[in-house]
Amino acid sequence: DEMTGILKKLWRSGKSKEFDQAMELYNARRYAEAVPKFEAIMTARKGSGDVYYNLAAIYCSQSYHHLGFREFLQGQYARACINFEKAIEFQPGQLDIYLFIGVCRNNMRDYEEASEAFQLLLTLDHSRSSVRIMQGIVMHNLGQWERSVNHHRVILREYPGYPDIHYRQGLAPVALDRLHEARESFRRALALNPDFVVLDEPTASLDASIQAQIIALLADLRDRLGLIYLFISHDLGLVRYFCDRVVVM
């Protein structure tokens, strides 16, 4: 903000028609139209380092930031991520944008990339409590429940009244127990060396991350042992993904 103020003092309206036109669009919140004009100014003045190049970079970044935030509020997380990443490209120091990228990636279930975004932000600024909380949520979504519990315990000592941390801390052991129960059930069933296994709602009422691990385990056992499953489920999306043949009752 301080740099922007200095540059504004150096800028004199009317000395660059292209920049004035871009600023009119920006001030009218027509960010999608302003972006290509700012980028054209940067391309034309690349390497010159003059005031218009620097101002165009700042306002181009802010335009992408506004566009990304607008799409974030609309739930268009993939498009929001693209615009947030563009904003960082022009102004790498905007730490808040890394938080938005991480939240978008988490909402898109790109948990590994979300974790990387939060970790990068914590490396740059370790004091951000919201980022540490989101990092724990991503650990949970990745199925790293033991790490998630320990992580949330540390945060709870600093923020004892935060309700979601209590919820996550209680949920993680439940997830571990359910996954352990599922594995034990499969182990007992496979002890008889069957060729055919009936799976009646094996993922019902389970967290999405646990469902994914159980389905991965079943697929691995099917491929390694040549098993045939009768898979019974109300989740048609899961049936479509996992089954070769479908019968509707």
Side-chain angles (χ1 to χ4, degrees):
D1 291 338
E2 184 178 351
M3 177 59 72
T4 305
I6 294 171
L7 291 171
K8 277 185 174 180
K9 288 180 182 178
L10 294 173
W11 166 49
R12 295 294 180 267
S13 178
K15 289 194 174 183
S16 173
K17 182 179 178 180
E18 296 83 4
F19 187 79
D20 290 345
Q21 289 175 345
M23 283 302 298
E24 285 180 13
L25 293 169
Y26 178 87
N27 291 329
R29 299 184 181 181
R30 293 161 61 182
Y31 305 117
E33 297 173 63
V35 160
K37 292 190 175 294
F38 286 129
E39 289 181 337
I41 294 168
M42 293 172 64
T43 301
R45 297 172 180 267
K46 188 173 183 180
S48 64
D50 69 0
V51 64
Y52 291 108
Y53 176 88
N54 292 317
L55 276 171
I58 290 171
Y59 282 105
C60 191
S61 175
Q62 291 182 5
S63 296
Y64 275 121
H65 191 169
H66 288 305
L67 287 170
F69 190 65
R70 185 180 292 170
E71 287 158 349
F72 175 82
L73 293 177
Q74 294 171 350
Q76 300 177 19
Y77 302 119
R79 293 177 61 183
C81 263
I82 292 171
N83 284 315
F84 286 141
E85 287 166 358
K86 279 283 189 180
I88 288 176
E89 181 182 329
F90 292 111
Q91 276 192 293
Q94 298 186 85
L95 300 185
D96 287 339
I97 299 182
Y98 289 100
L99 175 60
F100 280 115
I101 290 174
V103 174
C104 284
R105 292 295 183 189
N106 182 70
N107 291 345
M108 293 162 61
R109 299 188 178 184
D110 292 339
Y111 301 129
E112 294 286 355
E113 293 188 24
S115 181
E116 289 177 9
F118 292 135
Q119 187 56 51
L120 176 59
L121 183 50
L122 284 174
T123 302
L124 298 172
D125 184 359
H126 187 69
S127 64
R128 291 172 175 254
S129 59
S130 58
V131 180
R132 293 169 61 199
I133 291 167
M134 283 302 305
Q135 193 179 39
I137 292 172
V138 171
M139 288 178 189
H140 175 86
N141 291 337
L142 281 167
Q144 300 171 356
W145 296 299
E146 292 181 8
R147 284 188 64 201
S148 176
V149 169
N150 293 332
H151 183 84
H152 285 134
R153 281 175 180 164
V154 172
I155 301 176
L156 269 176
R157 287 198 287 268
E158 301 175 33
Y159 307 97
Y162 199 91
D164 190 61
I165 301 177
H166 289 279
Y167 168 73
R168 298 280 172 180
Q169 189 186 25
L171 190 61
V174 172
L176 284 170
D177 288 344
R178 288 184 176 176
L179 184 59
H180 178 72
E181 289 174 6
R183 284 176 172 163
E184 282 298 304
S185 297
F186 299 148
R187 186 185 63 79
R188 289 194 298 270
L190 294 175
L192 301 174
N193 296 318
D195 296 319
F196 182 84
V197 179
V198 177
L199 301 171
D200 188 1
E201 298 282 2
T203 61
S205 303
L206 295 179
D207 183 88
S209 57
I210 307 173
Q211 285 188 14
Q213 292 199 46
I214 289 175
I215 291 300
L217 174 62
L218 289 171
D220 179 63
L221 292 172
R222 178 182 60 191
D223 295 340
R224 286 195 294 110
L225 303 178
L227 296 173
I228 299 172
Y229 294 142
L230 174 59
F231 188 84
I232 303 169
S233 176
H234 288 86
D235 189 337
L236 296 182
L238 186 58
V239 169
R240 186 182 302 111
Y241 168 78
F242 188 69
C243 300
D244 299 317
R245 300 180 189 176
V246 179
V247 176
V248 179
M249 296 177 63

